[in-house]
Amino acid sequence: MSAGQLPRWVDYGLIPLLNLAAAFLVSGLVVLLIGENPLEAVEILLWGSLGFGEGVGFTLFYATNFIFTGLAVAVAFHAGLFNIGGEGQAYVGGLGVALACLALDQYVPWWVTMPVAVIGAALMGAAWAFIPAWLQAKRGSHVVITTIMFNFIASSLMVYLLVNVMAKPGSMQPETRTFEEGGRLPFLNDLQSWFDFGTAPVNLSLIIALIACVLVWVVIWRTRLGYEIRSFGANATAAVYAGMSPVRIIIVTMLISGGLSGMMALNEIMGSQHRLLIEFVAGYGFVGIAVALMGRAHPVGIVLAAILFGMLYQGGAELSFEKPAITRDMIVVIQGLVILFAGALENLFRPALVRIFTPSRVPAVQAG
């Protein structure tokens, strides 16, 4: 182990735990300042997210969204790209899901509609990521700026479509008609009787998300394309010198990232809402950035981080219900602190840990 390099269990395990502990410590101080007991608040949060079947179901439902968006950000990370456009890509991905469901739901069962919806979501999300990718690869436009801009364009585009093109006839609501059974993913409760998630809408897209994790691991760590992506992200100059095409790597990576973001819409549109509606993404694309950072851009870490944020969403709702003094805005503050320590302050503890876990000096080589 070279100087300054931490053991893997420290880098991938201890540092995220320390960041998480620091976030909850600061959150506890905030709760204490408003006159509530932090330990009691943690107990309610844990019970609300993991203490009963329905709570677990909602935790897994939210985690499904975060797995897709976290994977999307992680794939871009490995190529040295910062895809902040997950929100817009997921939004447009919902269009792909809705078109598949609206076209097929009255004629075929869900298991025929599902692969078409998966492909539609991935293609629409990838298409929305293509222009920022092309501008980065061909024109040098920074992908952070273009993907942020495309989030706003996607929002405006979807509002126009839902109000003027796809709205249900005779309805004032900016949404499509409700899908028939052929356009709805089954809940896990319906697939296996031993699942007991109550009314939680956790559905088959959770399984699809876990399959996506395996596929991302295979692509990034077991294929030539993945090796090129990681090499380009580690040292773009050396990768180009070795004969790798930066244009190809940037565009292909962003297409994969956008496709994963687009697939998030499966959970919300086909799995839960059963219609395309305004603002169904609800910030999941941005939370995916924190999930990827906390999960160290590895599928296993992303699943664990996604479950953590799912717990914060579901347990936070229970906490604000049981403790009215801890409002929903306070829960957002706690989530923001976790994102802060997992992202902006990710290296807060690293210098001290480097001093602890690496030798202070390298022994000199003795002469023959």
Side-chain angles (χ1 to χ4, degrees), residues 7 37 95 223 238 317:
N37 186 336
L95 180 61
T223 66

Side-chain angles (χ1 to χ4, degrees), residues 209-231:
L210 296 177
I211 294 173
C213 288
V214 176
L215 293 177
V216 166
W217 179 82
V218 171
V219 169
I220 297 298
W221 280 279
R222 289 295 183 271
T223 66
R224 177 178 177 178
L225 172 62
Y227 176 76
E228 292 179 346
I229 289 173
R230 288 184 289 117
S231 299

Side-chain angles (χ1 to χ4, degrees), residues 9-27:
W9 69 270
V10 176
D11 199 10
Y12 290 88
L14 183 58
I15 289 181
L17 286 177
L18 288 174
N19 290 333
L20 183 61
F24 278 110
L25 178 61
V26 177
S27 301

Side-chain angles (χ1 to χ4, degrees), residues 154-169:
S155 179
S156 300
L157 172 65
M158 296 299 288
V159 168
Y160 172 80
L161 291 175
L162 287 172
V163 171
N164 298 287
V165 180
M166 302 178 69
K168 183 169 59 177

